Amino acid sequence: MKALQITEPRVMKVVDMERPQCNAGDVLLKIHYVGFCGSDLNTYRGLNLMAKPHVIPGHEIGAEIVAMGNEVPSNLHKGMIVTVNPYTHCGVCSACRSRRYNACEHNETLGVQRDGAMREYLAVPWQKIIPVGDITPAHAALIEPMSVGFHAVSRAQAVDTDVVMIIGCGMVGVGAVIRSLLRGSKVIACDVDDEKLEIVKRLGADFTINTAKENVHERLMELTDSMGPNIVIEAVGSPATYQMAVNEVAFCGRVICIGYSKQDVEFTTKYFVQKELDIRGSRNALPEDFDGVIRYLKKYNPPYETLTSGIVTPEHAEEAMKQWDANPAKVFRILVNFE
C-alpha cells in the first residue's frame, strides 16, 4: 500500500508498505483523508523532538471501516465512516488514575511517537474508533484538531459571563472559538493573518484583533471596559503570545496554554501573584470533546470550504508541505486524499 514517510528533515517521500493485519481486537480502516497539523510541520522541519525517526505522519483522520477482528463489538460495522482518537494511555500513571487519559505521562500519538495515518490502510484497536454518522470523510478529518480547542475551553471552565480571548486562529483556535461561543461567552479572536480572522468572524467571533497591525492592549481595554479578558487561550506556542496572554488577562483570570514554545519564555512573574492567576495546561482531547465537535458539525454545518487550504494527493503532499513551511501564516489546513 501507499504511504507518506518523513525520511529526514524537509524530505517526505511516497513509500510502499505492506497492508496491516487486522488482529482480534482491531478495526481495519480504509483511509480517505488525513489532515496535516502543526506537529507534522515541525516533524518535517526536524524540530519535533518527540517524533520517532522516519515517521509516517498524520492523526487527523477521516476513514471507512473495511474489516474487523472477532473481538470487535457489533455496534461497529463495515462501511461505517469514522475518525480515530489518536492518543494512547497507560492506565497506571497519575493522569490516568485521575481519568485524564489525554494527559497520560506515557502517551504515544499517531504520527509522532507511533507511525500515523498517512497511508491507504490503518489498523487500530476498536476502542479508538469514533463513528461520525453522516459526516463525510473529508470533514471527519477536521474533528481531531477542533476537539483540542474544545478541550481547552473545558479546561477554562468558560461560561456565558466570560470574555474569552483566543490567540491563534488555526484549526485548534477555531475549535476554541466555536466551543466558547457555544457556551455563550463573548469571544475576541486574535491572529496575525486577516484571512484567518475573517474565517473566525464568519463562524461567529464577536471581535477580532490583528496582533501584527493593532495595539492589542488598547483594543482589549476598549472591548472589555478596561478590565481585560478574564480567559485567555494561547494556541500559538511562541514566547510573544505566552507573554501577551499573561500580560493581558484580567485580574483573577485564567490562562489556558495549548501551544508548545520552542524557546524559553520570560515572564513578569509578579502578575502571577498580583493578578492571582489560574494558569492551566491543555493537552490533546477527551472522548467528550470529540463528541462535542461531532454534535456541532451535525447541527450547524459550518462553512467547510473556508476550513481547508487545499486537498492534495500523496504525490503532491511534499510540495504542499514545502509551501506551508515557507509561508506558515497563510496555510489553514491541508488534507491528503488517499481515496
Side-chain angles (χ1 to χ4, degrees), residues 13-318:
K13 296 180 179 180
V14 178
V15 297
D16 187 58
M17 298 181 62
E18 289 188 10
R19 181 166 161 169
Q21 298 294 316
C22 186
N23 297 320
D26 289 344
V27 171
L28 182 65
L29 300 177
K30 172 67 180 80
I31 300 297
H32 288 276
Y33 292 89
V34 187
F36 276 127
C37 80
S39 65
D40 297 321
L41 176 60
N42 284 325
T43 301
Y44 177 74
R45 290 169 163 171
L47 301 177
N48 188 348
L49 299 181
M50 294 184 291
K52 79 184 200 79
H54 308 295
V55 71
I56 296 170
H59 55 256
E60 303 175 359
I61 299 166
E64 176 185 350
I65 296 176
V66 294
M68 297 171 294
N70 58 19
E71 295 179 3
V72 176
S74 60
N75 63 302
L76 301 176
H77 57 80
K78 292 181 182 180
M80 181 177 277
I81 303 302
V82 301
T83 190
V84 174
N85 183 329
Y87 324 119
T88 66
H89 64 274
C90 69
V92 297
C93 72
S94 176
C96 289
R97 290 181 180 183
S98 300
R99 302 184 69 83
R100 291 167 66 174
Y101 304 116
N102 59 299
C104 173
E105 181 180 355
H106 307 292
N107 166 68
E108 293 186 352
T109 299
L110 283 173
V112 185
Q113 296 94 343
R114 297 179 291 151
D115 282 332
M118 289 283 178
R119 45 178 139 174
E120 293 183 274
Y121 293 91
L122 177 70
V124 297
W126 69 264
Q127 295 91 340
K128 296 300 180 180
I129 296 294
I130 302 174
V132 301
D134 59 359
I135 295 173
T136 69
H139 299 161
L142 305 178
I143 292 171
E144 190 275 341
M146 291 178 67
S147 74
V148 176
F150 270 48
H151 183 70
V153 176
S154 294
R155 291 284 291 146
Q157 298 176 299
V159 296
D160 57 0
T161 56
D162 287 321
V163 178
V164 182
M165 174 187 182
I166 295 159
I167 307 174
C169 295
M171 188 63 72
V172 171
V174 161
V177 167
I178 290 168
R179 187 59 160 171
S180 298
L181 291 169
L182 290 172
R183 292 192 172 202
S185 304
K186 179 187 289 186
V187 172
I188 303 171
C190 303
D191 202 277
V192 298
D193 185 75
D194 286 328
E195 293 179 14
K196 291 181 179 177
L197 293 174
E198 283 299 319
I199 290 171
V200 293
K201 191 180 297 182
R202 185 175 174 185
L203 291 169
D206 297 281
F207 304 101
T208 59
I209 299 175
N210 186 315
T211 57
K213 299 178 180 178
E214 301 179 65
N215 186 308
V216 176
H217 180 74
E218 289 182 1
R219 184 79 171 122
L220 288 172
M221 293 300 98
E222 174 189 333
L223 297 175
T224 64
D225 295 327
S226 298
M227 293 186 181
N230 58 306
I231 294 173
V232 178
I233 296 175
E234 198 289 332
V236 176
S238 75
T241 52
Y242 265 90
Q243 290 161 349
M244 181 187 296
V246 171
N247 292 344
E248 300 299 345
V249 71
F251 275 65
C252 298
R254 304 186 288 284
V255 176
I256 311 301
C257 308
I258 307 176
Y260 283 90
S261 176
K262 305 300 183 297
Q263 301 86 34
D264 292 339
V265 184
E266 293 186 4
F267 289 108
T268 304
T269 54
K270 72 172 185 178
Y271 287 149
F272 295 8
V273 177
Q274 191 178 59
K275 292 184 177 183
E276 199 174 54
L277 298 180
D278 289 337
I279 300 177
R280 305 175 184 177
S282 182
R283 182 182 178 194
N284 300 333
L286 287 165
E288 52 262 38
D289 302 309
F290 284 86
D291 291 343
V293 175
I294 291 168
R295 287 195 299 272
Y296 166 77
L297 295 179
K298 289 180 177 179
K299 183 175 181 179
Y300 292 97
N301 191 31
Y304 289 107
E305 72 279 1
T306 67
L307 298 180
T308 55
S309 301
I311 298 175
V312 299
T313 64
E315 290 76 12
H316 292 93
E318 184 176 32

